[in-house]
Amino acid sequence: MSLSEIIQSRIAAEGPMSVAEYMTLCLHHPEHGYYSTRDPLGQAGDFITAPEISQMFGELIGLALAQAWADQGAPANAALVELGPGRGTLMADALRATARMPGFHDAVRVTLVEASPALRAAQAETLAAHAPVWVDSVDALPEDRPLFVIANEFFDALPVRQFLRDGAGWRERVIGLSDGALTFGLADRAPRPDLSHRLEDTSDGDLVEVSHAAQGVAEVLGDRIAAQGGAALIVDYGSEASLGDTFQALRAHEKVSPLDAPGTADLTAHVDFGALCRAAAPAHASPVTTQGVFLETLGITARAQALATRLSGDALETHISAHRRLTHPDEMGSLFKVMGLVPEGAALPPGLVT
Ligand code: SAH
């Protein structure tokens, strides 16, 4: 049975499903799920991410986290954690850039939170020299040491539910069947006490997205960082408050319908940084900084110029366009945001506007 047939028979038996349930099946179904079956990254894949665009991204993130570690007294036992490390490129670049930071490599155990067997294999290859350990979820992160965490394009892959405002109530957007095909519909109007704060900044007909999974991860990170020390850098596309339908599917770098051929496209939604910030209490969350400002503040232009002296021809052109892609407001510079988490009173990692 294809994933489409599995989803259709489940809807036929149990009724329409939430967008979150659909996203979870499409991304993580053990046999047919998008992340269960493939490495989706890169030019030949479905999408490309900042660390795959340029080594500078992981280098600067690594240095920012190493600085946070030094600012917290260079603890001898810490974890350097990545959520959803993809091919391991960001972590490899971060480790190379921090190799000369005194004591850092000896202090940190590289710990990866990864759901996909295919990507775990890629990470094992890229990071073999650093003997990483893998865990299935943030709940399984070590409890006895500070956690220095990077999550790049991780939160956008976590399932969202969608709610359409109808007066003082909400109708959930669901996926059902019509003439034997998957189709979007709306559930009956219901009160949602958890969305009462959104009655203040939305109007009738507005759609908001809620990721319980993302809030759950932020809650664990916030609790752990407040109690154990450490810092987190969350980098993703999104905004300070969810508004509008951002549920999207990408296949071979093209937008396609999220209902088309389930399990064969990357499904994502924009990240609601305000919701993550609230969920991460009691940790302190920084204001949201754009990726462009974050990378410029960390010195990406000086690093780009230093690397450029060794390049010529096509390699130089690619390098210049990578710098632009990561930082320019018309490319990733403004859409992508960075938020930091630290224990109350601790210094934020560099690069964040305070
Ligand atoms: N950070 C990488 C990859 C981003 S793609 C980069 O920037 O290139 C999203 C990553 O999150 C993949 O590694 C995917 O397998 C992982 N992922 C998605 N949902 C997950 C979940 N629920 N638990 C753990 N890992 C997950």
Side-chain angles (χ1 to χ4, degrees):
M1 249 209 296
S2 70
L3 186 56
S4 183
E5 289 163 339
I6 293 170
I7 290 172
Q8 296 209 14
S9 62
R10 187 178 296 191
I11 293 172
E14 297 169 21
M17 62 173 66
S18 69
V19 171
E21 202 180 334
Y22 176 78
M23 239 177 127
T24 304
L25 283 168
C26 289
L27 294 179
H28 300 293
H29 184 280
E31 206 181 323
H32 306 288
Y34 181 72
Y35 281 116
S36 320
T37 52
R38 66 194 80 206
D39 170 356
L41 286 146
Q43 216 54 260
D46 294 308
F47 60 95
I48 190 154
T49 56
E52 303 294 332
I53 291 171
S54 168
Q55 68 184 72
M56 298 186 289
F57 186 78
E59 291 171 349
L60 293 170
I61 299 265
L63 291 167
L65 286 179
Q67 185 62 48
W69 169 81
D71 287 341
Q72 291 183 30
N77 288 307
L80 181 60
V81 178
E82 183 165 2
L83 311 186
R87 290 180 173 167
T89 309
L90 190 163
M91 184 56 85
D93 292 335
L95 287 163
R96 191 183 57 254
T98 54
R100 278 180 293 177
M101 178 86 178
F104 185 61
H105 281 202
D106 288 338
V108 295
R109 184 195 291 165
V110 176
T111 308
L112 309 174
V113 179
E114 177 56 67
S116 155
L119 290 173
R120 278 191 186 203
Q123 293 151 22
E125 206 167 303
T126 314
L127 298 169
H130 301 279
V133 292
W134 284 268
V135 295
D136 289 334
S137 77
V138 287
D139 299 298
L141 287 171
E143 293 182 34
D144 60 346
R145 61 193 64 213
L147 306 174
F148 295 88
V149 183
I150 169 66
N152 184 60
E153 290 208 39
F154 170 75
F155 281 92
D156 67 64
L158 300 181
V160 293
R161 292 173 70 177
Q162 296 188 315
F163 297 95
L164 189 79
R165 178 150 174 203
D166 181 359
W170 300 87
R171 299 183 69 182
E172 180 156 15
R173 194 161 180 242
V174 290
I175 294 160
L177 284 175
S178 165
D179 295 332
L182 295 174
T183 180
F184 285 109
L186 289 171
D188 290 344
R189 186 155 79 104
R192 299 261 351 156
D194 54 325
L195 290 179
S196 57
H197 64 292
R198 296 310 308 264
L199 292 175
E200 287 154 28
D201 66 351
T202 56
S203 353
D204 230 12
D206 280 346
L207 185 139
V208 301
E209 294 170 332
V210 180
S211 177
H212 293 115
Q215 289 171 24
V217 172
E219 194 177 324
V220 173
L221 289 181
D223 284 347
R224 296 295 202 83
I225 286 170
Q228 297 167 216
L233 286 171
I234 298 170
V235 187
D236 226 309
Y237 42 91
S239 53
E240 304 216 15
S242 140
L243 188 62
D245 173 19
T246 71
F247 180 42
Q248 67 162 26
L250 273 188
R251 188 185 299 129
H253 305 269
E254 300 282 339
K255 272 196 187 183
V256 295
S257 162
L259 302 186
D260 179 55
T264 67
D266 184 44
L267 299 182
T268 64
H270 283 204
V271 171
D272 180 341
F273 281 93
L276 298 188
C277 167
R278 288 187 294 278
H284 169 69
S286 74
V288 171
T289 304
T290 64
Q291 175 169 302
V293 168
F294 175 73
L295 294 175
E296 290 297 352
T297 309
L298 290 176
I300 194 170
T301 298
R303 179 68 182 134
Q305 285 163 348
L307 285 170
T309 59
R310 293 188 240 143
L311 300 171
S312 61
D314 285 353
L316 181 60
E317 290 305 313
T318 306
H319 173 63
I320 291 168
S321 85
H323 173 252
R324 183 188 149 89
R325 240 175 123 176
L326 293 180
T327 56
H328 197 279
D330 292 342
E331 308 240 9
M332 299 171 83
S334 301
L335 174 63
F336 281 72
K337 312 287 193 305
V338 189
M339 190 173 83
L341 302 177
V342 285
E344 198 62 58
L348 283 163
L352 296 167
V353 174
T354 50

